[in-house]
Amino acid sequence: MPSVKEQGAVYGNLLAYKQYTRPSAQRVFGQYSFRNKKGPKHHENVQRLLEILAINGKLTTWGMAKTHLSDTSNIRSQEKDYRRLLVGRMARGKHTMGLLDIGLVVKDGKNIQKAPADLYRLSLHGILYCLDVINLSEKDLEKMAEKYADVLPQIFGRWKYLKSMIGSDTDRLKSLASGMFMDNIQISNITALPIYELMTYLNVKYQNNFEQINEEDLADQISYWFYTNLLIPSKRSNTNESKQWKKLLDNDLALKKWYYKFVDEAISFYTNRFKQIKNLKS
């Protein structure tokens, strides 16, 4: 994956998404899908661009325009519009923030078939914003999972497997996209499972990445959140979440090894903290 500098955008951890990226994006680009609620034309244009990237993956601005236009002159005009949406623009001495400024889109290489042109795709924050606002169809969500399998490998790279095992519980990713970090103490009252402790450690693990995080680490943070959240009992299901969760991991040994490494880190963290508590009495 390209470095943060190469991506042309800077974004932070999940807390940064919740406290900065999501509210900023909703303010500038809309908090409702343009298909559900009429709003400024700018919101619709941005959301259409994000939808194109969601279902097509990496594209140049020319490639974005070609997805729904065939006339060359129209493509050229639309390409210029898309570029302005990506990088922002100056109007009346004021800079309007673009998708790169807020961190919803990143650069990912170049297309060198003709003149070199930047390739763009959704960032992980952009994926979350799409899940939260754009109201993608199930078919389009499957396309996004396929196109971004390498960006979010533990979830989108296993999407068909997850759908076959947990069905609509994959929607819990949308809960994260809506800003539900699940890091409050009330979780301890929901179940006897150590979900609160794991979520708290997840927050601690990435606490120094509020302003900037590399994409692999953010993908891990999102994925740890997702698989830990699956342990929370579902209101619409009578199944035993713990048994279903263990079955999910037992049938994918690579996934199990990856997640239990996080569990082992949490155990080590709390063991050391417990020692510090005991030292108070010594």
Side-chain angles (χ1 to χ4, degrees), residues 58-240:
K58 291 190 289 186
L59 289 171
T60 62
T61 48
W62 184 268
M64 295 175 206
K66 278 187 67 177
T67 60
H68 56 285
L69 296 172
S70 56
D71 182 83
T72 301
S73 61
N74 289 337
I75 292 175
R76 189 170 290 110
S77 175
Q78 185 67 74
E79 181 191 20
K80 291 179 180 177
D81 290 339
Y82 283 155
R83 186 171 288 112
R84 282 194 291 268
L85 294 177
L86 287 165
V87 303
R89 64 177 181 175
M90 290 297 295
R92 298 173 185 173
K94 183 179 180 182
H95 176 68
T96 300
M97 296 183 78
L99 289 160
L100 289 165
D101 293 316
I102 293 182
L104 298 189
V105 172
V106 296
K107 298 176 184 178
D108 193 348
K110 290 184 181 290
N111 184 326
I112 55 174
Q113 290 180 349
K114 295 181 180 179
D118 288 323
L119 287 163
Y120 298 92
R121 63 165 169 81
L122 298 177
S123 69
L124 286 165
H125 282 202
I127 288 171
L128 293 176
Y129 177 79
C130 286
L131 290 172
D132 183 35
V133 170
I134 293 185
N135 194 23
L136 296 168
S137 67
E138 195 63 33
K139 184 178 179 181
D140 286 343
L141 184 52
E142 288 177 6
K143 289 179 181 178
M144 181 166 71
E146 180 183 349
K147 295 296 182 180
Y148 290 88
D150 60 332
V151 178
L152 194 57
Q154 305 299 350
I155 301 176
F156 281 167
R158 291 174 160 82
W159 195 249
K160 289 183 179 179
Y161 171 67
L162 289 170
K163 294 294 287 188
S164 69
M165 293 292 289
I166 61 176
S168 61
D169 266 352
T170 53
D171 285 347
R172 297 193 186 206
L173 190 59
K174 294 180 181 179
S175 298
L176 176 61
S178 69
M180 191 179 296
F181 196 13
M182 302 294 286
D183 58 344
N184 56 65
I185 198 169
Q186 282 73 25
I187 305 174
S188 61
N189 296 324
I190 297 175
T191 174
L193 294 170
I195 297 168
Y196 170 70
E197 289 77 10
L198 289 171
M199 287 294 189
T200 300
Y201 173 67
L202 181 62
N203 203 6
V204 171
K205 179 176 172 66
Y206 297 99
Q207 64 182 327
N208 294 326
N209 299 114
F210 183 85
E211 294 185 356
Q212 185 172 314
I213 191 171
N214 68 54
E215 204 159 40
E216 292 88 348
D217 287 341
L218 181 56
D220 277 343
Q221 189 185 21
I222 291 171
S223 302
Y224 290 141
W225 184 98
F226 176 77
Y227 287 103
T228 303
N229 187 271
L230 288 177
L231 285 165
I232 298 174
S234 171
K235 293 180 180 179
R236 61 177 179 268
S237 174
N238 293 321
T239 59
N240 185 310

